[in-house]
Amino acid sequence: MSEITAVKDRNGDILQIVAPGKSLGRGELLAANTTFTSLPTTTEAMYIFCTSVIHVAEGSVVTDSDAPVDARSGIYLRSNRGAVISVGLMEGEDAATVWIAEVK
């Protein structure tokens, strides 16, 4: 089985490969009021995987009013260089582990 190493856009230019890169941290979300904040990113996108539905916010504070995201199959989010991402469990979700990585 071969791996795809590059894809071309409609103009024939090679697209960058999008894949999880350097880890920005892993955290345990034990209850709806616990949060995890990543390390700052040096790229402009992050990959987040969590075993539950979570609230996501850029910065060091996340609340129930921040967007709920289903990251159980992994998600890519755009971010600002140097930003941190905070996540918290959505109300009613079981304890979960979250992983956040830079995108390369």
Side-chain angles (χ1 to χ4, degrees):
M1 187 167 163
S2 65
E3 289 186 34
I4 297 174
T5 56
V7 176
K8 295 187 178 187
D9 68 13
R10 71 176 101 181
N11 298 321
D13 296 324
I14 294 176
L15 297 173
Q16 294 182 7
I17 295 172
V18 176
K22 181 180 95 177
S23 173
L24 297 176
R26 182 189 123 223
E28 301 297 325
L29 303 174
L30 302 175
N33 60 353
T34 61
T35 63
F36 172 75
T37 301
S38 73
L39 296 171
T41 182
T42 60
T43 63
E44 293 180 355
M46 292 184 179
Y47 174 78
I48 301 174
F49 176 81
C50 186
T51 54
S52 285
V53 179
I54 55 176
H55 291 283
V56 177
E58 188 174 81
S60 58
V61 177
V62 63
T63 67
D64 290 345
S65 62
D66 290 309
V69 175
D70 186 350
R72 291 176 289 190
S73 52
I75 57 168
Y76 290 94
L77 296 176
R78 186 181 177 289
S79 63
N80 295 311
R81 287 183 193 270
V84 295
I85 295 291
S86 293
V87 297
L89 280 177
M90 193 167 107
E91 185 70 35
E93 290 289 313
D94 293 332
T97 303
V98 62
W99 291 265
I100 302 178
E102 289 183 343
V103 171
K104 58 180 180 174

